[in-house]
Amino acid sequence: MSTKTKKQEYVAKHNEDEAPKEMTGSGMLIQALAKENVEVIFGYPGGAILPTYDEIYKTGIRHILARHEQGAIHAAEGYARVAGKPGVCVVTSGPGATNVVTGIADAMIDSLPLVVITGQVAKSVIGTDAFQEADMLGITMPITKHNFQVRSVEEFPRIIKEAFHIATTGRPGPVLIDLPKDVSQESGLFDYSKEVNLPGYQPTVIPNKQQIRKLAEAVSKARKPVILAGAGILHAKASEQLFEYVEQQQIPVVNTLLGLGNFPGNHELHLGMAGMHGTYAANMALHEADLLINIGARFDDRLTGKLDYFAPYATVAHIDVDPAEIGKNIETQIPVVGDAGEALRLLIAENGEQADHAVWKADLQKMKSDYPLWYKQEDEVIKPQHLIEKIYEKTKGEAIVTTDVGQHQMWSAQFYKFDKPNRWVTSGGLGTMGFGFPAAIGAQIAEPQSTVVSIVGDAGFQMTLQELSILQELNLPVKVVIVNNASLGMVRQWQQLFHGERYSNSLFPIQPDFVKLADAYSIKAMRVDELKDMESAIDEMLAHDGPVLMDFRVAKEENVYPMICPGKGHHQMEGVTP
Ligand SMILES: Cc1ncc(C[n+]2csc(CCOP(=O)(O)OP(=O)(O)O)c2C)c(N)n1
């Protein structure tokens, strides 16, 4: 029997520099985060995760203390979306962990790479209803790309490495690591040198050449092709390839809500956002197309409208790195499994013969100019669409815009034209109120030099406004724009249109004084009631080099149009003209 310890054996085989060091589980976590180039952690401490917080203290790794775990995880999502790197969130067990569940579900459906570390009670008491015990593996099984519970300190480095690998490869998503307190305190050898070895997880990145050729052939024959450009293009960092391909083939482009910015919003071939509150031209392009090329979109119900009416004349091609998406909602004739960037590179190289799309393009251009997005300007009242249009103009389209969920989100998607990728941060799939403001904090941390405007509703903002503390503490220059219609605007709109104007629990008879609220956090704030003050107020907000909160009192009964009402198809939009 060898008398050497594991470490001595290892050192005998490798030189001292590479030798794994003995350290605690929580020490390993911080070491591993450094090796993964993690610059910032968003989190909140508590009993089960205290050993990790001790390491955070000792090593000085940057940590942003949220005031509620939901704020921490949405900030991590905003960071991930803008930085193009995984967001890291650390919380304690039980209530700390359950408080991040909404954010995990949000990241899952919007394909955001997160590594979430939840403290857990000690192994010996798991399953005994111990203090602050919650079964996070069970709770998050359906809403994580993968989850782990660390059962011994020896396996911890491998688990962390796999977590980052899984979160960031293929279709990105959240990975949870549940860390029992005793494991974080035990000592073991930290060896981070081994390559990830997951035979059961091998995402297909390079698409099948035959399928690409089939698609190129279909393009060369199509008279009415359209590209539906989704967020998969952003995750694949493939906006340049999309641009090149569109220029080469002269195919019109429509965006999903989450895909905005992956193609220049001001390009003549861009028809706008499609779906429930999309433009007439974008939806009619989908309706009339003979070839629909979906690149990295989910064909979700807010995009498709009633499936029976969806793209009735089109051959459907779908490029997606997640094979489970293909054919899930829409029958697909040309499936292409692979990374959007790789697929586009191959399509560009095919340089397929270009069919004559002149009539199709001209028809769509006419629809675009005949049926633009509209709103009725009034004398004194601030129209929310006008407000967003002015913010767009005054930020020259270069701000990072985060939104919450509701009417203001749709107006932002419609009236802020994104020309560049990763400037648009919104909760698309889950539609999480409370997302927008903390996401702006994460975005500002990812890009300290950029102007970050957080456009929120007066209701959604109240779900996570405690994070104003972070703005105060770090003097983060986020500009919070409350589009204040004194109601749950989107709910009010649906009650007006589909529930006989019975406004059940959607109107706010009283509201907090948001200016005084900001004052409590020593944050500059302004309330703007009248149109005549709107522009100068936006100027003042943008000129201030610290955080600002703006309470814009807008028209209370404005609705989002145009609209595909429930049960209707793209060709049945309402409110297309004033
Ligand atoms: C957490 C959560 N609860 C409820 C909803 C349902 N919901 C969608 S939009 C909306 C109203 C949002 O009101 P506000 O934040 O003021 O934005 P507005 O629509 O007025 O722009 C509600 C309640 C949701 N999306 N998320």
Side-chain angles (χ1 to χ4, degrees):
M1 206 176 91
S2 164
T3 52
K4 283 183 180 163
T5 64
K6 250 173 149 184
K7 181 175 177 187
Q8 286 166 332
E9 278 177 11
Y10 188 99
V11 172
K13 280 195 248 135
H14 301 77
N15 73 34
E16 186 67 41
D17 284 352
E18 286 175 15
K21 296 202 173 49
E22 185 102 11
M23 61 183 80
T24 61
S26 47
M28 290 180 180
L29 175 60
I30 304 301
Q31 286 296 318
L33 294 184
K35 289 197 180 288
E36 296 290 344
N37 297 317
V38 171
E39 286 160 359
V40 59
I41 299 170
F42 300 89
Y44 206 96
I49 199 76
L50 277 181
T52 297
Y53 271 79
D54 210 31
E55 275 319 304
I56 290 173
Y57 183 88
K58 285 191 234 159
T59 55
I61 186 168
R62 189 170 187 208
H63 177 276
I64 307 292
L65 177 68
R67 298 310 193 257
H68 185 295
E69 289 86 353
Q70 187 181 0
I73 193 142
H74 292 325
E77 289 183 86
Y79 177 87
R81 186 74 286 272
V82 170
K85 290 166 53 165
V88 175
C89 183
V90 178
V91 295
T92 194
S93 66
T98 54
N99 273 349
V100 294
V101 168
T102 300
I104 294 174
D106 190 273
M108 182 69 178
I109 195 163
D110 284 354
S111 309
L112 291 174
L114 294 186
V115 174
V116 182
I117 293 113
T118 51
Q120 182 54 281
V121 299
K123 284 197 306 287
S124 55
V125 291
I126 287 178
T128 67
D129 292 340
F131 178 63
Q132 296 196 323
E133 181 183 5
D135 172 11
M136 291 315 292
L137 287 193
I139 290 171
T140 64
M141 185 81 75
I143 53 165
T144 45
K145 188 171 172 190
H146 196 62
N147 63 15
F148 298 90
Q149 187 171 65
V150 196
R151 306 294 299 185
S152 77
V153 75
E154 281 75 32
E155 64 177 6
F156 196 20
R158 172 185 61 77
I159 286 177
I160 305 171
K161 202 162 199 179
E162 287 178 5
F164 276 91
H165 178 73
I166 294 169
T168 53
T169 50
R171 177 180 181 172
V175 178
L176 181 131
I177 304 176
D178 201 39
L179 176 61
K181 186 169 185 178
D182 53 337
V183 177
S184 74
Q185 290 168 309
E186 279 163 15
S187 285
L189 287 181
F190 177 68
D191 181 359
Y192 213 65
S193 62
K194 294 204 182 81
E195 293 295 314
V196 169
N197 178 22
L198 293 170
Y201 172 73
Q202 304 283 342
T204 302
V205 175
I206 307 292
N208 179 302
K209 294 250 168 57
Q210 253 173 317
Q211 291 303 98
I212 291 286
R213 207 150 295 142
K214 215 166 152 187
L215 177 49
E217 263 170 41
V219 171
S220 69
K221 291 193 192 114
R223 285 282 168 271
K224 297 178 175 183
V226 64
I227 290 174
L228 171 65
I233 293 165
L234 297 169
H235 299 308
K237 302 183 171 64
S239 297
E240 279 176 28
Q241 287 81 7
L242 175 66
F243 186 82
E244 200 182 324
Y245 182 62
V246 170
E247 291 270 310
Q248 184 194 68
Q249 294 295 326
Q250 292 294 303
I251 302 174
V253 176
V254 306
N255 268 135
T256 62
L257 172 70
L258 285 171
L260 288 170
N262 63 19
F263 188 78
N266 286 311
H267 195 285
E268 59 153 354
L269 285 167
H270 188 256
L271 303 174
M273 176 176 76
M276 181 172 274
H277 293 297
T279 64
Y280 181 75
N283 283 336
M284 287 309 289
L286 290 176
H287 187 71
E288 292 184 358
D290 63 359
L291 176 64
L292 164 52
I293 308 165
N294 173 348
I295 312 179
R298 291 184 297 117
F299 278 138
D300 86 303
D301 58 296
R302 285 291 197 267
L303 181 283
T304 60
K306 192 170 167 68
L307 289 180
D308 296 351
Y309 301 132
F310 182 72
Y313 315 111
T315 296
V316 176
H318 188 167
I319 301 171
D320 207 302
V321 76
D322 180 358
E325 281 302 334
I326 297 180
K328 185 181 81 178
N329 297 332
I330 299 290
E331 208 179 307
T332 301
Q333 286 75 40
I334 310 176
V336 181
V337 179
D339 175 86
E342 297 295 342
L344 284 162
R345 258 188 286 278
L346 291 172
L347 283 167
I348 294 163
E350 285 284 321
N351 199 2
E353 191 188 325
Q354 213 191 89
D356 181 4
H357 307 147
V359 177
W360 172 236
K361 282 195 316 190
D363 286 351
L364 292 174
Q365 279 308 324
K366 185 160 170 11
M367 275 186 219
K368 195 171 151 180
S369 60
D370 286 355
Y371 303 105
L373 294 164
W374 61 272
Y375 59 90
K376 281 190 196 154
Q377 191 51 61
E378 279 161 22
D379 284 349
E380 285 164 15
V381 185
I382 299 174
K383 285 297 181 99
Q385 303 93 327
H386 188 198
L387 171 64
I388 287 156
E389 221 168 38
K390 281 291 159 202
I391 294 173
Y392 166 66
E393 277 171 34
K394 288 178 183 289
T395 55
K396 303 186 180 68
E398 283 171 4
I400 294 173
V401 176
T402 79
T403 75
D404 216 69
V405 172
Q407 292 182 310
H408 67 279
Q409 176 190 32
M410 293 299 116
W411 288 317
S412 303
Q414 291 178 332
F415 289 92
Y416 203 101
K417 303 270 174 272
F418 295 93
D419 270 338
K420 285 190 214 135
N422 308 334
R423 313 269 92 190
W424 168 240
V425 184
T426 198
S427 168
L430 201 64
T432 307
M433 282 172 75
F435 168 89
F437 172 48
I441 292 172
Q444 188 78 77
I445 285 170
E447 283 201 20
Q449 305 310 326
S450 294
T451 300
V452 176
V453 183
S454 175
I455 301 177
V456 292
D458 47 309
F461 179 57
Q462 293 188 62
M463 288 199 177
T464 45
L465 63 75
Q466 73 285 345
E467 306 308 339
L468 285 169
S469 273
I470 302 185
L471 299 196
Q472 178 185 20
E473 193 179 311
L474 304 179
N475 195 31
L476 273 190
V478 172
K479 315 300 180 212
V480 181
V481 171
I482 304 175
V483 181
N484 190 342
N485 49 17
S487 64
L488 308 176
M490 190 56 100
V491 170
R492 191 207 56 72
Q493 174 168 346
W494 278 58
Q495 289 171 334
Q496 181 189 343
L497 299 179
F498 311 119
H499 296 273
E501 302 186 15
R502 291 179 295 281
Y503 298 119
S504 175
N505 292 282
S506 58
L507 308 180
F508 290 134
I510 55 162
Q511 281 189 299
D513 182 331
F514 288 111
V515 173
K516 277 196 188 150
L517 180 83
D519 192 44
Y521 293 91
S522 305
I523 290 171
K524 178 182 169 77
M526 282 176 271
R527 171 175 164 164
V528 187
D529 292 83
E530 290 185 38
L531 180 60
K532 66 174 174 40
D533 302 321
M534 185 181 83
E535 288 204 35
S536 58
I538 298 173
D539 289 335
E540 200 175 329
M541 167 183 89
L542 293 172
H544 184 68
D545 78 353
V548 186
L549 183 146
M550 306 293 293
D551 179 6
F552 285 102
R553 302 292 169 126
V554 302
K556 287 186 179 162
E557 298 189 349
E558 193 70 9
N559 284 340
V560 184
Y561 286 119
M563 178 173 190
I564 304 173
C565 293
K568 297 286 167 67
H570 285 144
H571 58 309
Q572 296 167 315
M573 289 200 94
E574 288 173 32
V576 173
T577 50

